[in-house]
Amino acid sequence: MARTAASGEDRKATIKDVAKLAGVSPSAVTIAVHNKPGVSSKTKERILQAARDLGWSPNQAAQSLSGRAMHSVGLAIARPARMLGLEPFYMEFISGIESVLSRHSCSLLLRLVEPEEEIEVQRGWWQGNRVNGSILVDLRADDPRIPVLSGIGLPAVVVGHPSLAGPFTSVWTDDAAAMTEAVQYLAALGHRRIARVSGPEELGHSAIRTKAFAETAEQLGLTARTVVADFSADQGSRACRTLLLSPERPTAIVFDNDLMAVTALGVVAEFGLSVPHDLSVLAWDDSQLCQLTRPTLSAMQHDIFSFGADVTETLFDVMTHREAVSHAAQVPSLVPRGSTAPPPSDQRHP
């Protein structure tokens, strides 16, 4: 209600909006929020309440009118803190982001959230002048963030396919092409029963991979099954056990990240099986983990560090009103290693 009174629409609030709502001058707002003498305690509380109602706070953006134009970029990730520390993809991705931000003397404002919290987090960052723009990740079909955050004018880049991005500029990897290559490779080795352990099915890139996996397998005459997990080691292990206990056990499994693929090696050993003789394992998001296992893991490799840098450079184009073009980054490429091989001769695809 207070936002509507101040702006007539859900836009970024200013110090003048706070002053108007509190019935004071902008200078009085500055005095109150910096806890300096000059206004009564009652007036100060009225000002602070108006600021809270409008989602406004003083920060570097408000204090740098004669200094740096850009100060920070936001990134909200819906992952538990413990899991984020174990997931190589985001560590590499954030490193790529930081490589660009450091050149611009900018900071990364990182927040781990529940999916339903992110809209309010992003709204508070933007309307409180805490960020100049944001990177949006893990897009879903008909993602509720898109209409709300575009409606408040947040400069952002979507990490995902343009079909998920709405009016935002997007940077993405061609998951469909990469998955097609992975299935074709396994078929060429002679596998006829293959499976996949995916990330959450509501994620846009999971849906794209699932569709490509099923369609390519059907075209090649393979039996294919997808089991949904959440990228974590625990769920990756459970999904692998489910597949190995199935009546028609697959001879090859594609995992949607390298962490789940690594944990699968232990599950295979529990069953008294070996990789790759009894089961071939193919990981997504190649990292050093894939080269430290025995056997080393075959993987769909792409330069995640460069991907993070590309996304961030594109965001700076958006934030500085330069021409920003949605584009695909490098397509992941297959790197065969020791975890994939032809299946036992009696189970090979003709």
Side-chain angles (χ1 to χ4, degrees):
M1 182 175 178
R3 284 192 189 102
T4 303
S7 62
E9 57 183 18
D10 197 2
R11 66 165 175 82
K12 185 178 179 182
T14 68
I15 191 171
K16 291 183 179 178
D17 293 327
V18 177
K20 182 178 179 181
L21 184 60
V24 298
S25 67
S27 60
V29 174
T30 301
I31 291 170
V33 297
H34 289 290
N35 199 29
K36 294 182 178 180
V39 296
S40 67
S41 58
K42 185 175 181 181
T43 301
K44 177 182 174 182
E45 179 53 39
R46 189 168 74 249
I47 292 169
L48 294 179
Q49 185 60 52
R52 286 192 291 268
D53 290 344
L54 293 172
W56 179 90
S57 64
N59 57 79
Q60 290 174 317
Q63 297 165 6
S64 63
L65 296 178
S66 60
R68 294 176 293 172
M70 299 292 168
H71 62 85
S72 63
V73 163
L75 174 63
I77 303 176
R79 292 283 196 286
R82 184 179 296 276
M83 180 177 168
L84 185 68
L86 296 173
E87 192 170 14
F89 174 87
Y90 271 116
M91 295 300 98
E92 283 289 306
F93 184 69
I94 291 171
S95 295
I97 292 172
E98 289 285 7
S99 72
V100 176
L101 295 183
S102 62
R103 297 202 307 270
H104 293 272
S105 297
C106 269
S107 300
L108 178 66
L109 182 55
L110 175 64
R111 175 84 173 265
L112 303 183
V113 298
E114 295 296 330
E116 62 273 12
E117 294 176 332
E118 185 176 349
I119 288 176
E120 286 308 310
V121 168
Q122 295 281 4
R123 192 203 306 269
W125 283 350
W126 175 238
Q127 294 179 331
N129 294 309
R130 298 186 66 192
V131 299
N132 298 101
S134 288
I135 296 169
L136 305 179
V137 298
D138 289 340
L139 271 291
R140 293 158 168 76
D142 300 319
D143 197 300
R145 290 174 289 178
I146 299 301
V148 175
L149 298 182
S150 61
I152 63 174
L154 173 71
V157 167
V158 163
V159 178
H161 194 269
S163 62
L164 306 168
F168 289 117
T169 301
S170 62
V171 182
W172 73 97
T173 57
D174 193 339
D175 289 298
M179 184 59 75
T180 297
E181 181 183 5
V183 175
Q184 289 173 340
Y185 166 68
L186 295 174
L189 289 177
H191 294 277
R192 63 188 182 191
R193 293 196 308 274
I194 64 173
R196 171 171 161 264
V197 177
S198 79
E201 57 188 342
E202 66 270 17
L203 294 181
H205 66 264
S206 290
I208 290 170
R209 293 179 192 177
T210 298
K211 184 172 184 288
F213 179 77
E215 289 180 350
T216 307
E218 183 178 7
Q219 291 166 5
L220 296 172
L222 310 181
T223 300
R225 177 185 178 187
T226 293
V227 176
V228 177
D230 67 353
F231 298 124
S232 71
D234 286 346
Q235 287 209 15
S237 296
R238 291 192 188 99
C240 185
R241 289 189 185 95
T242 296
L243 290 167
L244 294 181
L245 288 169
S246 60
E248 290 196 342
R249 190 177 73 208
T251 58
I253 303 176
V254 180
F255 289 86
D256 263 19
N257 74 348
D258 41 10
L259 182 61
M260 293 193 296
V262 168
T263 59
L265 296 178
V267 175
V268 174
E270 289 174 12
F271 280 73
L273 304 174
S274 67
V275 174
H277 177 72
D278 299 302
L279 180 74
S280 285
V281 173
L282 180 62
W284 215 270
D285 295 333
D286 188 25
S287 72
Q288 286 189 349
L289 279 180
C290 296
Q291 300 179 52
L292 295 174
T293 60
R294 291 293 180 269
T296 54
L297 282 170
S298 300
M300 301 305 297
Q301 181 186 76
H302 62 118
D303 190 340
I304 301 169
F305 179 92
S306 296
F307 183 51
D310 186 1
V311 168
T312 311
E313 292 283 14
T314 304
L315 178 58
F316 270 93
D317 288 341
V318 171
M319 293 188 301
T320 56
H321 306 290
R322 295 193 297 265
E323 183 178 2
V325 179
S326 294
H327 60 278
Q330 180 184 15
V331 178
S333 58
L334 178 68
V335 179
R337 296 194 183 101
S339 67
T340 49
S345 57
D346 61 337
Q347 300 182 51
R348 292 183 188 175
H349 187 62

